[in-house]
Amino acid sequence: MTSEEPAAPAPPATPGTLTDEAFRDLYRSLRQQAAEAAGRGRGALDRLTPERVAAAAAGVRSGRTVSLAAPVETATAPDSPEPATHRMTAPDRRERDEPGLHFARDRFAMNVHGDVDSHLDALCHVIFDGELYGGVPASTVTPDGAGALTLDLVRDGLVGRGVLLDIPRLRGVPWLDPGDQVTAEDLAAAEAAQAVRAGPGDLLLVRVGHRLRRRDLGAWDVTRARAGLHPRAMRFLAERQVSVLGSDGNSDAAPSAVASVPFPVHVLAVNAMGLHLLDWLDLEELATACEERGRRDFLCVVAPLRLPAATGSPVNPIAVL
C-alpha cells in the first residue's frame, strides 16, 4: 500500500455469513426457479419483451441522456494493476507537418473483466462446478473463445426500463463502506422510500456509492474490501423477475459472505439465474438527476460491442429520462 492509498476500513457487521451448504441450497433454489421460467435459452433476457421495451420508451419525459459509465482508466492504481492501454498510431511528425490529407489513428486494449472499468458480463463468464448457466458444459469455453451463451446473445442491445435503488441515500450516508452488504430488506426499503418498484424485465441498478468514495478518498484494493449485495438479496431479484443487475461496484461484496465462494452474487446471478451483469458503473450523475426529477425509473440503453465469442464487453450504458 502506498502512502497515498486510503486504508480500507474494517468491514461492518454483516447481515450474516453463509455456510457452503446454505449457499448451495440457495443456488439450487434460484437455479430451479430460473429453469422453470426458461424460454429461448437467453436467460432472464426472455423477460425483456418488445412490449416492455416500448413501454419503457413511452416513459421518457425530458429526453435528457446520462452516461452510466466511468471514463476508461489508463493509469495504474490499487484497483487497476493492469489498466487499459491507449496509444496513438498516427499521425507521425511528417504527416502532421505535410500538407494534404492525413488521419489520426489509435489503438485500444483492455482487460474486460477488471475491477475499475464499466463492463457487461455475458452468461458464459461464470463457471461453477464445471457448468455455465443452464447446465451448459464449461468445455464450450476454449482458448479460441466461448461457444455458447456468448456476448452474441445481446448483439441487439439491452434496452428497457431501468430502475435505480440508491442504498446510501436510504441509509443517509454518502456511500457504503467497503465490506458492507446490501440485503433484500435494504432493496425493498429503497423501493418504498424512493417510490419505485422493480418488475419483470427491468434493468435493476443498485448504487452503493463506490465511485463517489473513490473520487473523494482515492482508489483502494477492492479485492480485499468492497461494498456489494448479500447473496440472500438475490431472492429479491428473483421475485421481481428482473433481466439485468448493475451496480457501481461489481455487485459482490468483499470479504465474501461465503468463505468457499469469492463471488457468490456472480454465481447466483449469472450462473444460476441467467442475469447479465453490469459491473463498475458510475451512477452519481444518474442519482442526482433522479433526485431532481423525483423519479427513479427511466429508459436504459446498453450497446455492447459485436464480439460474437466474447465473455463480456466494455459498455457505456445511457439512461434516457
Side-chain angles (χ1 to χ4, degrees):
M1 180 183 299
T2 66
S3 58
E4 292 81 13
E5 180 188 345
T14 69
T17 58
L18 293 179
T19 64
D20 184 72
E21 180 181 3
F23 174 76
R24 288 178 178 275
D25 285 345
L26 178 60
Y27 172 83
R28 285 189 289 268
S29 174
L30 292 173
R31 181 174 176 172
Q32 180 60 34
Q33 285 181 251
E36 291 171 355
R40 295 175 291 147
R42 300 173 70 243
L45 290 183
D46 286 334
R47 303 182 189 124
L48 195 50
T49 63
E51 294 78 15
R52 286 172 175 152
V53 174
V60 173
R61 295 292 181 266
S62 68
R64 176 181 175 183
T65 59
V66 179
S67 169
L68 310 183
V72 174
E73 297 278 344
T74 56
T76 302
D79 55 355
S80 186
E82 297 179 344
T85 59
H86 176 227
R87 67 181 181 87
M88 301 303 297
T89 59
D92 58 25
R93 180 174 297 179
R94 177 186 58 81
E95 292 172 321
R96 286 196 300 269
D97 296 339
E98 282 186 351
L101 174 65
H102 303 284
F103 293 100
R105 300 190 301 273
D106 43 5
R107 183 181 297 276
F108 169 75
M110 74 181 302
N111 170 20
V112 172
H113 298 290
D115 290 327
V116 66
D117 294 317
S118 305
H119 65 269
L120 178 140
D121 290 343
L123 297 187
C124 57
H125 174 51
V126 179
I127 301 169
F128 188 64
D129 288 345
E131 293 182 343
L132 308 178
Y133 166 73
V136 173
S139 59
T140 56
V141 182
T142 73
D144 295 322
L149 303 174
T150 71
L151 200 64
D152 198 50
L153 285 180
V154 289
R155 63 182 178 272
D156 297 320
L158 296 167
V159 181
R161 177 179 180 249
V163 172
L164 175 67
L165 296 183
D166 192 337
I167 306 305
R169 181 180 182 276
L170 173 73
R171 297 189 187 176
V173 296
W175 55 68
L176 303 190
D177 285 327
D180 202 347
Q181 301 195 36
V182 177
T183 66
E185 291 76 18
D186 286 326
L187 297 175
E191 281 189 332
Q194 295 161 27
V196 70
R197 182 181 173 89
D202 286 350
L203 288 75
L204 177 62
L205 307 180
V206 180
R207 177 179 176 265
V208 297
H210 175 87
R211 292 292 178 180
L212 180 59
R213 186 183 192 276
R214 190 179 190 271
R215 280 198 284 271
D216 283 3
L217 302 182
W220 70 96
D221 182 0
V222 297
T223 64
R224 295 187 296 111
R226 61 183 181 271
L229 275 63
H230 189 274
R232 288 198 181 100
M234 299 309 293
R235 288 200 182 278
F236 175 93
L237 276 73
E239 291 169 2
R240 294 293 189 268
Q241 298 182 14
V242 301
S243 286
V244 176
L245 170 63
S247 177
D248 48 350
N250 73 347
S251 292
D252 264 298
S256 172
V258 186
S260 59
V261 182
F263 296 91
V265 171
H266 271 65
V267 172
L268 297 175
V270 179
N271 191 285
M273 300 168 65
L275 294 175
H276 283 75
L277 292 185
L278 294 167
D279 292 344
W280 306 112
L281 303 178
D282 189 331
L283 302 177
E284 295 308 309
E285 184 178 352
L286 176 64
T288 299
C290 286
E291 182 72 14
E292 290 172 351
R293 65 198 285 264
R295 218 177 128 188
R296 272 78 186 179
D297 63 337
F298 42 87
L299 176 66
C300 190
V301 180
V302 186
L305 300 177
R306 290 294 300 271
L307 297 168
T311 67
S313 170
V315 287
N316 179 20
I318 304 295
V320 188
L321 307 176

